Amino acid sequence: QVQLVESGGGLVQSGGSLRLSCAASGGFFVINSMGWYRQAPAKARDLVAGWTSADGIKYADSVKGRVTMSRDGAKNTVYLQMNNLNSEDTAVYYCYANAWTSGRGSVGYWGQGTHVTVSS
C-alpha cells in the first residue's frame, strides 16, 4: 500500500556532493519512522540516517558532518544531502519506511535502491 522510489544516485568524484530523494506514494498512510540505508557488494546493509518519533534524526558515525536528512511533507519525500563524498560511500542506497495503513497496520517498506559510485 506504500511505494518508495529513490532517485538522485549516480557517479560523482571524491569530494563531490549528491542529493538523494525518496518519494512515498499510495493511499492514506502515516509514517512512523524513515531512514536511508546503504549496502556495498558482499557487505551488510547499514543505516546511514534515520528518523523515529522517539529518537528524532540520527546519523551513522561514518557520515556525521557530511550528511543531512530532510523531509518535504507536502511531497511525501525525504532527502539525503551528501557532501564531501569518498570511496567509502560507494554503495546502493535504499529508502526505508515504517508506515501505518488501514489495511496492513504498521509495517516496513523498502525502495528498490539507487546506486552511488564515488570515483577518484
Side-chain angles (χ1 to χ4, degrees):
Q1 294 188 40
V2 179
Q3 294 80 46
L4 304 175
V5 179
E6 303 99 332
S7 62
L11 176 65
V12 64
Q13 293 185 351
S14 294
S17 299
L18 284 175
R19 190 191 193 199
L20 307 183
S21 299
C22 174
S25 63
F28 178 79
F29 56 87
V30 178
I31 300 294
N32 301 313
S33 64
M34 204 160 188
W36 287 95
Y37 292 74
R38 67 185 181 186
Q39 187 169 23
K43 293 186 177 180
R45 185 173 298 185
D46 296 324
L47 176 70
V48 178
W51 171 87
T52 67
S53 60
D55 300 329
I57 299 175
K58 292 185 177 294
Y59 300 95
D61 290 340
S62 60
V63 302
K64 284 182 178 178
R66 302 188 296 117
V67 167
T68 301
M69 181 177 173
S70 60
R71 177 178 64 89
D72 185 335
K75 295 182 178 180
N76 284 323
T77 300
V78 295
Y79 305 93
L80 190 72
Q81 178 68 45
M82 302 190 294
N83 303 317
N84 196 23
L85 291 163
N86 58 66
S87 61
E88 299 288 325
D89 300 313
T90 295
V92 179
Y93 285 71
Y94 297 91
C95 182
Y96 169 86
N98 183 282
W100 177 92
T101 65
S102 62
R104 291 177 172 265
S106 295
V107 297
Y109 301 87
W110 288 96
Q112 295 192 58
T114 183
H115 291 255
V116 172
T117 302
V118 184
S119 63
S120 300

